[in-house]
């Protein structure tokens, strides 16, 4: 709920803090005191168009701020965090979060919005406000006027009142709709893109034939690059090997040239003769013996390496270069290396399988589409039946409320008519209409009814829907216009009933309505009528204000007695008091 509203330099209000509690809060005051400015401040916080003319004369800008407490899983919390704003979460068991919202309007016309302490677009403030507050005024009914909102309200009512299986029916319908749309899309692709699919299949087939003709192996390009490098330097490699072999094992062409094997053997012989005299020298002799073995092994390997180079090197080089050229042809077209070429081939085969025309696939899809359409028709017809049953109950409940609100001949009419196409909610067009009297034709909400009539209709609707489809806070601006006496008492009683479920703020001139308040807030003018003050009344002050509203003379003893009587009688029936 809204915990507090801070207003500064708006209209005749210089600086006022309006604390709001749960239940029903009544806002009263003399004409021109500034009650409308409270609703204007809420409009600002809901992201509506701001009028620079509302800035108090002499001030640079007007400010409206609100502190709102909601459950931590409320949609407004995610919207604030998405905007980069801070959310104060209650660490206790209540699971609540506190949000800070503000809007300033400069006298020059510029408007700024802040969400959770961060600057945000005014539109984001409006998105948040829609989840928090519903305003019903003489000329501005902001809830349940859109087709989507009316359908949602009826569906929520159907879930609770008409049939408990409505959500399951809607979920089953949506699952069928997903299958229907997927099947229709696949069938459309087959029928509408035959040429494109054929060209793509032909292109993929050519590519795969080229790749399959080469038959590349994973890593083959790397292996061939290394082999090509070796074969290109064959003579220099052979010279290096034979030279090294001669240095280690001797050269047949120069038998007297010193060889490493001979020299190491001489060193080993010298050490072996004296190694018994000193353990340290014996260790060195052992290491020389190991060196002799290693040199002989390397010399043998060098001989084998050089001999291997003699095996048809030029012919093999030609084969390698030919194979490398074939692989390069693939990598120029299908990938940076053979690994990418093979991956392209894999995905191309999978895609080709889906492009190859199955002569029976189109027929199967067409048949399946017909089956799903029949299933959708049956399921949507079931949803229509449930909605119509819920509409009858909703209209009957609202009719009872309207009779108590001095509109006995008025009626809510809810039309549920099937449309041609399916959407995720079925195929129904839902519309709420008002019939002001028995002879009148039903008209859409907002057309053919006075502001007072429409406000009372919306009140009746909200009272009926409060238990199933509420927003946290409702604001009613002079919903009691044009009524009095018993009807005014019933309006107050129904506002009180609505406040059993949500927070309700009402601007009113009627004491019969104000008597039902859980909290009475007075907007009063200064002696020169230039500045207004906003404050919460205590019980004694409430009696005085009700007396003023009744007789215009708060000092009248009779008026005060009447006011006290109104307070004493402002109770709900036992069935609504819990």
């Amino acid at each position: 709920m809204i915990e507090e509203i801070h207003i500064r330099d708006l209209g005749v209000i210089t600086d006022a803090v309006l604390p709001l509690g749960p239940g029903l809060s009544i806002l009263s005051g003399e004409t021109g005191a500034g009650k409308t400015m409270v609703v204007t401040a809420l409009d600002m916080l809901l992201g509506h168009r701001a009028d620079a003319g509302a800035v108090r004369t002499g001030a640079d800008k007007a400010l409206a701020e609100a502190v709102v407490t909601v459950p931590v899983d409320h949609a407004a919390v995610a919207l604030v965090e998405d905007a980069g704003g801070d959310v104060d979460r209650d660490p206790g068991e209540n699971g609540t979060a506190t949000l800070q919202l503000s809007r300033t309007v400069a006298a020059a016309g510029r408007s700024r919005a802040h969400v959770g302490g961060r600057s945000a677009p005014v539109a984001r403030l409006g998105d948040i406000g829609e989840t928090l507050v519903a305003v019903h005024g003489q000329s501005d009914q902001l809830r349940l006027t859109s087709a989507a909102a009316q359908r949602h309200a009826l569906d929520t009512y159907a879930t609770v009142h008409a049939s408990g299986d409505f959500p399951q029916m809607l979920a089953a319908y949506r699952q069928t709709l997903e299958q229907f749309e997927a099947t229709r899309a696949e069938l459309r692709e087959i029928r509408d893109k035959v040429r494109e699919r054929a060209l793509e299949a032909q292109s993929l087939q050519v590519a795969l034939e080229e790749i399959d003709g080469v038959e590349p192996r994973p890593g083959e390009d790397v292996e061939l690059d290394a082999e090509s490098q070796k074969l290109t330097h064959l003579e220099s490699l052979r010279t290096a090997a034979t030279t090294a072999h001669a240095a280690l094992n001797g050269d047949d062409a120069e038998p007297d040239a010193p060889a490493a094997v001979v020299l190491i053997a001489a060193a080993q012989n010298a050490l072996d003769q004296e190694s018994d005299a000193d353990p340290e020298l014996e260790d060195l002799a052992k290491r020389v013996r190991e060196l002799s073995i290693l040199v002989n092994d390397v010399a043998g390997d060098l001989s084998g390496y050089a001999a291997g180079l003699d095996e048809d090197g030029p012919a093999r080089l030609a084969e390698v270069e030919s194979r490398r050229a074939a692989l390069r042809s693939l990598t120029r077209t299908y990938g940076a290396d053979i690994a990418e070429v093979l991956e392209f081939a894999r995905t191309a085969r999978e895609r080709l399988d889906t492009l190859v025309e199955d002569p029976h696939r189109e027929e199967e899809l067409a048949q399946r589409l017909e089956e799903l359409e029949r299933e959708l028709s049956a399921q949507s017809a079931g949803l229509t039946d449930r909605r119509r049953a819920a509409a009858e109950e909703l209209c009957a409940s609202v009719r009872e409320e309207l009779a108590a609100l001095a509109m006995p001949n008025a009626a809510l009419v809810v039309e549920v008519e099937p449309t041609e196409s399916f959407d995720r909610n079925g195929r129904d067009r839902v519309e709420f209409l008002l019939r002001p009297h028995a002879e009148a034709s039903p008209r859409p909400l907002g057309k053919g009814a006075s502001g007072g009539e429409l406000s009372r209709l919306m009140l009746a609707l909200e009272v009926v829907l409060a238990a199933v489809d509420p927003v946290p806070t409702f604001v009613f601006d002079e919903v009691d216009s044009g009524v009095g006496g018993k009807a005014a008492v019933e309006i107050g009683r129904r506002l009180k009933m609505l406040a059993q479920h949500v927070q309700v703020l009402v601007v009113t001139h009627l004491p019969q309505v104000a008597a039902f308040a859980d909290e009475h807030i007075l907007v009063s003018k200064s002696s020169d009528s230039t500045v207004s003050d906003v404050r919460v009344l205590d019980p004694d002050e409430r009696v005085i204000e009700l007396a003023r509203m009744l007789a215009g003379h708060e000092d009248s003893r009779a008026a005060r007695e009447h006011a006290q009587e109104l307070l004493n009688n402002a109770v709900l029936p036992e069935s609504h008091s819990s």
Side-chain angles (χ1 to χ4, degrees):
M1 68 176 187
I2 301 176
E3 299 278 355
E4 180 181 281
I5 300 174
H6 179 205
I7 305 170
R8 187 172 68 234
D9 292 330
L10 186 63
V12 294
I13 299 177
T14 55
D15 198 338
V17 175
L18 182 66
L20 295 178
L24 177 60
S25 295
I26 294 293
L27 194 68
S28 70
E30 295 181 2
T31 301
K35 301 185 298 300
T36 303
M37 290 300 102
V38 176
V39 179
T40 300
L42 281 169
D43 282 342
M44 289 171 58
L45 292 169
L46 292 175
H48 301 157
R49 183 176 179 180
D51 182 8
V55 179
R56 189 174 65 85
T57 303
D60 294 332
K61 61 184 177 181
L63 167 70
E65 291 181 315
V67 178
V68 185
T69 301
V70 295
V72 291
D73 58 352
H74 193 274
V77 175
L79 289 171
V80 170
E81 292 180 332
D82 287 346
D86 295 327
V87 175
D88 184 11
R89 298 176 184 270
D90 185 353
E93 298 181 358
N94 294 332
T96 60
T98 301
L99 314 177
Q100 304 280 343
L101 309 175
S102 70
R103 176 95 175 272
T104 58
V105 179
R110 188 171 183 179
S111 173
R112 293 181 181 274
H114 287 80
V115 173
R118 297 291 184 91
S119 179
V122 174
R124 175 51 62 95
L125 194 62
D127 293 339
I128 296 169
E130 286 183 2
T131 70
L132 298 173
V133 182
V135 177
H136 297 299
Q138 286 288 295
S139 60
D140 200 11
Q141 305 289 343
L142 301 180
R143 177 171 147 88
L144 300 179
T145 54
S146 71
Q150 291 175 4
R151 182 204 52 75
H152 173 75
L154 181 61
D155 286 359
T156 307
Y157 189 84
T159 298
V160 176
H161 291 276
S163 176
D165 64 348
F166 185 86
Q168 291 76 19
M169 291 178 62
L170 184 58
Y173 165 84
R174 287 175 176 172
Q175 184 176 8
T176 304
L177 180 64
E178 289 180 4
Q179 298 174 13
F180 175 82
E181 291 176 340
T183 303
R184 183 172 59 183
E186 186 177 353
L187 182 60
R188 183 183 295 119
E189 183 179 17
I190 290 177
R191 289 175 172 173
D192 297 346
K193 299 183 179 180
V194 173
R195 177 175 173 78
E196 291 84 346
R197 289 166 60 88
L199 290 174
E200 184 182 357
Q202 182 180 5
S203 175
L204 291 175
Q205 187 65 48
V206 169
L208 288 172
E209 288 176 357
E210 182 180 358
I211 295 171
D212 291 344
V214 176
E215 296 184 346
R217 294 181 291 101
E220 184 180 4
D221 50 344
V222 177
E223 296 172 3
L224 291 176
D225 287 346
E227 188 174 359
S228 174
Q229 179 78 1
K230 177 179 178 180
L231 293 173
T232 301
H233 298 82
L234 194 64
E235 290 304 321
S236 59
L237 293 174
R238 181 182 294 110
T239 299
T242 55
T243 301
H245 178 269
L248 294 178
N249 204 39
D251 190 347
D252 294 339
E254 298 183 35
D256 296 331
V261 172
V262 175
L263 295 175
I264 292 173
Q268 180 181 343
N269 183 52
L271 294 176
D272 284 344
Q273 291 179 7
E274 302 298 332
S275 61
D276 293 340
D278 185 0
E280 183 177 357
L281 188 62
E282 183 179 3
D283 182 62
L284 291 172
K286 179 181 179 181
R287 292 168 62 187
V288 171
R289 282 193 298 273
E290 293 173 352
L291 181 60
S292 177
I293 295 172
L294 178 61
V295 169
N296 277 291
D297 287 345
V298 172
D301 291 344
L302 285 170
S303 178
Y305 176 80
L309 294 177
D310 291 334
E311 297 177 2
D312 199 17
R316 176 56 184 164
L317 179 60
E319 293 178 4
V320 168
E321 292 304 318
S322 175
R323 183 64 178 174
R324 290 180 72 203
L327 295 181
R328 279 196 300 271
S329 176
L330 297 181
T331 56
R332 278 195 299 267
T333 307
Y334 306 114
D337 53 28
I338 292 302
E340 289 189 9
V341 171
L342 293 172
E343 176 61 20
F344 169 84
R346 185 189 67 79
T347 58
R349 291 185 209 282
E350 292 178 355
R351 175 60 178 164
L352 187 60
D353 288 341
T354 67
L355 294 173
V356 174
E357 294 296 337
D358 181 351
H360 303 294
R361 182 58 176 165
E362 182 177 348
E363 182 180 348
E364 292 174 356
L365 289 173
Q367 183 177 351
R368 177 59 176 158
L369 195 64
E370 291 179 2
E371 294 172 356
L372 289 170
E373 187 170 9
R374 287 194 295 270
E375 188 174 352
L376 277 179
S377 296
Q379 291 174 327
S380 63
L383 293 174
T384 300
D385 291 341
R386 290 291 194 277
R387 286 182 174 128
R388 285 176 173 167
E392 290 183 7
E393 291 191 30
L394 177 62
C395 291
S397 298
V398 171
R399 190 178 299 114
E400 294 179 8
E401 296 297 325
L402 289 173
L405 295 173
M407 296 177 67
N409 298 317
L412 172 71
V413 177
V414 179
E415 291 186 348
V416 181
E417 297 297 334
T419 61
E420 292 297 325
S421 58
F422 300 105
D423 62 28
R424 67 185 310 272
N425 297 303
R427 61 190 308 181
D428 294 328
R429 178 186 61 82
V430 176
E431 185 175 16
F432 287 12
L433 306 103
L434 171 64
R435 179 187 288 126
H437 52 84
E439 289 75 24
S441 299
R443 300 289 301 277
L445 298 186
K447 297 181 180 179
S450 67
E453 288 176 327
L454 186 54
S455 292
R456 277 177 276 164
L457 170 63
M458 300 309 289
L459 173 58
L461 257 174
E462 299 294 14
V463 169
V464 173
L465 295 173
V468 298
D469 187 37
V471 293
T473 300
F474 286 89
V475 178
F476 290 91
D477 186 11
E478 299 189 8
V479 66
D480 47 23
S481 176
V483 300
K486 183 178 180 181
V489 173
E490 290 302 326
I491 289 176
R493 181 170 287 114
R494 271 141 186 84
L495 288 167
K496 184 76 169 183
M497 291 163 55
L498 179 61
Q500 302 299 302
H501 303 282
V502 294
Q503 183 185 44
V504 181
L505 175 62
V506 179
V507 179
T508 184
H509 289 287
L510 293 183
Q512 295 94 332
V513 173
F516 284 90
D518 295 302
E519 178 181 76
H520 194 143
I521 302 161
L522 176 65
V523 181
S524 58
K525 294 185 293 185
S526 62
S527 57
D528 60 1
S529 299
T530 60
V531 177
S532 290
D533 179 45
V534 181
R535 60 191 179 90
V536 178
L537 302 180
D538 62 30
D540 293 336
E541 290 173 329
R542 284 192 67 191
V543 174
I544 295 173
E545 172 60 10
L546 288 180
R548 183 198 65 77
M549 296 172 73
L550 280 164
H553 300 288
E554 59 268 27
D555 295 330
S556 168
R557 179 178 177 181
R560 291 195 181 191
E561 289 177 353
H562 189 184
Q564 188 61 59
E565 182 181 4
L566 284 177
L567 289 171
N568 293 339
N569 292 332
V571 294
L572 293 180
E574 290 186 6
S575 60
H576 294 285
S577 60
S578 59

